[in-house]
Amino acid sequence: MKHDSLKSKIRNIPDYPKPGIVFRDITTLLRDRGAFREVHDILIERYRDRPIDVIAAVEARGFIFGGALANALKIGFVPIRKPGKLPAATISESYQLEYGEDTMEMHVDAISPGQKVLLIDDLLATGGTLAAAAKLVKKAKGEVFGIGCVIELAFLHGRDLLEGYDVYSILRYDSE
């Protein structure tokens, strides 16, 4: 990939959160102002001049990239959070995890019918979180314009759950 030099800015933590998993830690990328800026610039270039009304990002690391991108594109930002974190009325979507189930929520009035929404997260792994976020957008009668991520763990086949969406990732890992 064109941006593979950014991989050297990501810390790999073996056996976290459990044995056999290599955790891709973006905090080392974030603290490097050049690398963080490069990721930000790549996302701006990708989505500038696109018909996007609002960015929705997934808690918590997705907020870092989604909020900055929404600000740069001069559009609104919608947080998608874990249950009980949003103060007003919400809609929710549950999804399967490798070891159980999780749920994401969004304010009922966060997206207006017909709005084109760009979903942003730091990582695409199995696709469950972003698929749930896309379902939330649909429940609000919004349209998912696309899905953007910094890292994709392609060997987990997360794109399979996101079939039909324009999915973009800056960095791709083909193996653990």
Side-chain angles (χ1 to χ4, degrees):
M1 260 187 145
K2 182 177 170 185
H3 308 290
D4 276 348
S5 65
L6 287 169
K7 283 185 178 178
S8 69
K9 304 298 180 181
I10 295 170
R11 177 174 30 211
N12 296 319
I13 302 174
D15 299 321
Y16 182 83
K18 62 184 187 177
I21 303 290
V22 177
F23 185 80
R24 308 298 179 179
D25 179 14
I26 64 162
T27 62
T28 48
L29 180 142
L30 293 172
R31 76 174 180 217
D32 182 307
R33 69 179 178 187
F36 185 33
R37 183 69 195 176
E38 185 177 346
V39 167
H40 185 62
D41 288 347
I42 291 165
L43 291 171
I44 291 170
E45 183 63 31
R46 169 82 180 177
Y47 295 110
R48 174 186 298 147
D49 301 323
R50 303 284 179 105
I52 302 166
D53 298 310
V54 67
I55 289 176
V58 179
E59 178 179 319
R61 292 176 302 271
F63 291 178
I64 297 165
F65 300 102
L69 183 59
N71 182 59
L73 299 179
K74 298 177 175 55
I75 59 177
F77 175 80
V78 172
I80 297 176
R81 305 217 49 199
K82 295 198 182 279
K85 302 285 187 176
L86 295 169
T90 61
I91 52 176
S92 65
E93 184 65 36
S94 294
Y95 60 100
Q96 291 303 128
L97 296 168
E98 178 183 338
Y99 47 85
E101 187 176 88
D102 209 347
T103 302
M104 300 302 294
E105 292 184 338
M106 181 176 74
H107 279 135
V108 171
D109 60 355
I111 294 170
S112 300
Q115 278 191 310
K116 289 183 172 51
V117 180
L118 174 62
L119 291 172
I120 295 287
D121 203 358
D122 69 316
L123 179 75
L124 169 56
T126 61
T129 304
L130 284 164
K135 288 177 183 175
L136 284 173
V137 170
K138 285 183 171 185
K139 280 183 179 181
K141 298 185 173 47
E143 177 186 329
V144 177
F145 173 83
I147 298 170
C149 300
V150 178
I151 298 171
E152 178 180 356
L153 303 180
F155 59 92
L156 295 176
H157 307 288
R159 283 180 185 253
D160 294 351
L161 279 183
L162 305 172
E163 193 173 324
Y165 295 115
D166 177 21
V167 178
Y168 173 74
S169 58
I170 297 171
L171 301 174
R172 178 185 164 112
Y173 291 85
D174 291 316
S175 64
E176 193 72 65

